[in-house]
Amino acid sequence: MPRSQPPASARAAPLPQINDYASENLCWICGSTSSGTLDAYGLFTDRSGKVVKRFTVVMRCTWTGDEGVLDEDFIIPTAPCKSASGA
């Protein structure tokens, strides 16, 4: 007997492809104007899209002439995320 497909809610979402972003025109203008500290935030999800962990990245950028250094610290809590209800 053939196996049935799992319900759509149980299947993994399709992964983004590089072509999904081909029309975007993003650029970072490097140089002394981008020196300083930047905080960024991200998250990890499970296959269903549920957020399972959040993290913070502290980036420090310094420039000497035309050479830059981007120093990153990823801060990932060890406890899992809690839902808005606290569960």
Side-chain angles (χ1 to χ4, degrees), residues 41-84:
Y41 306 92
L43 51 90
F44 296 108
T45 61
D46 64 14
R47 292 177 144 205
S48 71
K50 177 184 172 191
V51 175
V52 294
K53 197 168 286 261
R54 297 178 189 273
F55 62 91
T56 302
V57 185
V58 178
M59 296 181 270
R60 288 168 297 285
C61 185
T62 55
W63 287 89
T64 303
D66 62 353
E67 187 172 307
V69 174
L70 181 61
D71 180 32
E72 302 169 312
D73 288 321
F74 285 77
I75 302 151
I76 304 172
T78 56
C81 287
K82 292 186 177 183
S83 68

Side-chain angles (χ1 to χ4, degrees), residues 14-24:
L15 295 174
Q17 300 297 312
I18 193 70
N19 289 337
D20 296 342
Y21 305 97
S23 64
E24 293 187 20

